Amino acid sequence: RKAILTGEGLSQVHDLLLLDVTPLSNGIETTGGFMPKLIEWNTAIPTKKPQTFSTYTDNQPGVLIQVFAGERAMKVLRTSSH
């Protein structure tokens, strides 16, 4: 990265391509606190992953979509012990 930004040693890295990637998997919370992974860790960004989900009950007027990052299949609630 330094060689690209400063120009020093650029001849040694002229074919180098740097990609930004997601450090953790990303998913949304579903019923029961489960988090299906939509975007796996180490995926180049920007990215897009379309997926269809259905509502918990029929005729729901809206939904709250919460996006989480991590490798656990279930969302973990962190609560204070005080």
Side-chain angles (χ1 to χ4, degrees), residues 20-72:
D20 282 330
V21 297
T22 58
L24 297 170
S25 297
N26 292 278
I28 63 170
E29 180 185 12
T30 59
T31 303
F34 290 100
M35 185 191 84
K37 294 178 187 175
L38 300 178
I39 300 171
E40 294 288 332
W41 74 279
N42 211 27
T43 298
I45 51 177
T47 190
K48 183 183 350 181
K49 173 79 185 283
Q51 188 166 345
T52 303
F53 290 88
S54 57
T55 57
Y56 184 66
T57 59
D58 291 338
N59 301 317
Q60 275 185 251
V63 294
L64 173 65
I65 299 174
Q66 297 187 63
V67 178
F68 292 94
E71 304 309 315
R72 295 176 186 246

